[in-house]
């Protein structure tokens, strides 16, 4: 009898420690997310979801973190997992934007149209933009973008302007 009691006690202690650690990961991730510290939130949500992968709010926030950091391949994975849960259609707009950024225009249009059932005013032109992109792919480009080694660097160089025969631009150099 004592053996059973000790076994139950040890299992209970182990399980309560597991739940406490899991809650700490989710709480930390939520705090990072609320503070818009998406890269830190990603690490915490991934750790937390390794412990419990059936948390739709955490999955949603992890997908949003990847979306906000322009890691669209990873965002697509998590938005896709989120689609398995009922009542989580609020993510469809950003999921559609993610699919559109990845060039998956048919799937993007489908999710824009699904989101349109929730928010008609926000989505109407987005689904049409997928069709516009498809048509533009078939037409000849109006210009060609070339890299100029004497101007472009590994840094963020943008907003060129010619003024008084001088080239002005912004850079993170």
């Amino acid at each position: 009898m004592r053996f059973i009691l000790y076994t139950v006690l040890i299992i209970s202690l182990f399980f309560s420690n597991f739940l406490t650690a899991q809650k700490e990961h989710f709480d930390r991730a939520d705090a990072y997310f609320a503070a818009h510290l998406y890269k830190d939130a990603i690490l915490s949500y991934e750790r937390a979801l390794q412990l419990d992968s059936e948390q739709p709010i955490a999955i949603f926030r992890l997908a949003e973190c990847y979306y906000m950091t322009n890691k669209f391949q990873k965002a697509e994975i998590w938005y896709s997992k989120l689609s398995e849960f009922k009542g989580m259609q609020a993510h469809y707009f950003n999921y559609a934007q993610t699919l559109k950024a990845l060039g998956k225009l048919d799937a993007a249009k489908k999710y824009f149209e699904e989101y349109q059932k929730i928010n008609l005013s926000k989505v109407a032109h987005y689904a049409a933009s997928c069709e516009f992109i498809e048509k533009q792919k078939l037409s000849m480009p109006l210009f060609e973008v070339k890299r100029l080694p004497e101007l472009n660097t590994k840094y963020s160089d943008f907003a060129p302007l010619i003024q008084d025969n001088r080239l002005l631009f912004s850079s993170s150099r």
Side-chain angles (χ1 to χ4, degrees), residues 13-169:
L13 287 172
F14 175 76
F15 192 67
S16 69
N17 285 341
F18 174 79
L19 289 177
T20 301
Q22 178 185 1
K23 184 176 179 344
E24 286 175 8
H25 283 302
F26 282 118
D27 289 346
R28 186 177 309 119
D30 289 341
Y32 287 139
F33 184 82
H36 306 286
L37 298 170
Y38 299 119
K39 289 181 181 181
D40 295 321
I42 286 169
L43 296 173
S44 293
Y45 280 126
E46 285 183 342
R47 283 188 204 121
L49 288 167
Q50 285 176 348
L51 299 173
D52 183 1
S53 62
E54 297 296 314
Q55 296 293 325
I57 300 299
I59 292 170
F60 169 72
R61 290 182 177 165
L62 179 56
E64 290 288 294
C65 288
Y66 280 122
Y67 177 81
M68 298 302 283
T69 56
N70 294 324
K71 295 180 178 170
F72 296 119
Q73 284 87 3
K74 294 229 179 187
E76 179 190 14
I77 292 166
W78 289 102
Y79 282 132
S80 176
K81 288 181 186 201
L82 189 60
S83 296
E84 298 169 8
F85 293 92
K86 293 184 188 237
M88 296 300 293
Q89 292 83 3
H91 80 283
Y92 282 178
F93 183 78
N94 284 355
Y95 188 19
Q97 290 283 61
T98 297
L99 292 167
K100 185 177 168 185
L102 293 172
K104 298 178 179 182
L105 300 174
D106 289 336
K109 185 177 177 190
K110 173 188 153 199
Y111 279 97
F112 280 131
E113 289 170 350
E114 285 295 316
Y115 188 77
Q116 196 168 4
K117 296 173 185 173
I118 300 168
N119 187 339
L120 179 62
S121 64
K122 184 175 181 179
V123 179
H125 76 280
Y126 287 98
S129 73
C130 293
E131 293 172 11
F132 176 79
I133 292 169
E134 284 293 340
K135 288 178 187 172
Q136 293 306 306
K137 282 182 175 179
L138 301 175
S139 65
M140 294 296 292
L142 299 174
F143 55 87
E144 180 181 348
V145 177
K146 292 182 182 180
R147 185 177 189 283
L148 300 174
E150 62 275 5
L151 294 177
N152 299 121
T153 66
K154 65 180 180 178
Y155 302 99
S156 297
D157 302 320
F158 54 94
L161 169 71
I162 296 177
Q163 184 177 29
D164 298 328
N165 291 325
R166 292 185 346 196
L167 176 66
L168 304 175
F169 64 95

